[in-house]
Amino acid sequence: MEFLKLSELNSLLAKTIKENFLSYYWIVAEISDLRVNQTSGHCYLELIEKNEKTGALFAKARANIWNSTFQVIKPYFKSATGQELVSGIKVLVKVGLELHILYGYSLTIYDIDPSYTLGDQERKRKEIIDQLEEEGVLNLNKELELAILPQRIAIISSSTAAGFEDFMAHLQENKEGLVFYTHLFPALMQGQQTEPSIIEALDKIYLHKDDFDLVVIIRGGGASTDLSAFDSYLLAANCAQFPLPIITGIGHQRDETVLDIVSYKRAKTPTAAADFLIGILLERLDDQTKLQNSIIGRIEALLTGHNSDLNNKSFKIQGGFSELLNKHSNNINTMAHQLIRASEHLLHNNKSKLEGVEKYIQMSSPEYILSKGYSITRIKGKAIFDVGELKKGDKIETTFKKGRVSSRVE
């Protein structure tokens, strides 16, 4: 049986590659697991390709950038894109194929095209914006109403970020002496953990959403590709559908991320975000003062007008009352005389009746009857009207006009 040693097979493959493949190829791949050897200066990484729909790993190859090349590529890429070569970005690189007898298959990077990285990020941004628009959530946060006095602010930022310090200093030291209530929800604002870290902070704010008027996301300046985390679909979708208005201050004027596009208000810098809030509060307070003065003016005008009407009506009432008194004065006097005469006539008639009643009462009295020769017989104080009421032996008393006598029935 014929056989080959592993080294012979590898040498054969290396020779085949050298004879049948070009010296260089420009390929597109995503950087993964990038490491720099601090001693040699060589850069070791993996180039990967993912399924665009599922995100599953589709292809992978080891790669390296030798120190002499890395010292040229590194500053060149940063100068063009504004960021370091890091894991997670897509690149267009010039590579050569190598198969080392000991280390196996690998790619050696000789050059890089920074414009592809920038273009790929812009393409992704457009895809995300189109998807958000298609889902109907792109402008949801912009359609929210800002509180009349937006003073309660939830802040998402790194506690050590210069942008956060600038925002707080500008907000708290405003010349007008306006008061704001702030609470920091710390988050990572750079690197691969930016997206989940900010979403986690949003989730915490949501649990206390009734305690705040709005959310401010602050980062400050940075390279364009440094802001790639803010071009995330998941982060943008969370912010677009958040129930509180979101103000962003995560970059310079030249940088507009997807998060800026979906937010309620995009400020150029953290300081500009503070200026926006101060301006809103001043505007609302000014409107309130104008409204208050307008209400006071209208009330004073109404009171003045009603006072004038009351005076006019008072004069009219007084004049009408006097005229009415004068008009009916004679009638009142006539009625008074008639009332007096009627009262006198009624008193005269009633006097005659009273005299007749008095005479009748006098004639009906026992004294009057006795004076006419009549007598009253009583038994035990009770007047006797019928002789049948008496029986033999009863003691009776008889009253005359003058005097009384006692007797016994025989």
Side-chain angles (χ1 to χ4, degrees), residues 391-395 408-410:
K391 60 182 183 290
K392 185 179 179 178
D394 286 343
K395 184 179 180 181
R408 187 180 300 278
V409 177
E410 293 295 339

Side-chain angles (χ1 to χ4, degrees), residues 178-193:
L178 301 174
V179 178
F180 294 90
Y181 306 95
T182 61
H183 185 83
L184 175 65
F185 292 82
L188 298 174
M189 305 304 288
Q190 186 171 340
Q192 294 181 342
Q193 293 303 310

Side-chain angles (χ1 to χ4, degrees), residues 39-96:
T39 303
S40 65
H42 301 321
C43 176
Y44 300 97
L45 63 153
E46 282 188 343
L47 296 177
I48 61 174
E49 180 180 349
K50 296 178 180 178
N51 186 298
E52 293 185 359
K53 294 183 178 180
T54 65
L57 195 63
F58 189 71
K60 179 172 67 172
R62 290 188 301 108
N64 56 70
I65 312 174
W66 303 126
N67 180 40
S68 59
T69 305
F70 188 61
Q71 297 306 316
V72 175
I73 286 181
K74 180 181 177 181
Y76 170 58
F77 184 81
K78 184 174 182 179
S79 173
T81 64
Q83 79 158 48
E84 303 284 349
L85 274 173
V86 292
S87 298
I89 62 174
K90 216 167 188 180
V91 292
L92 175 61
V93 289
K94 182 181 180 181
V95 299

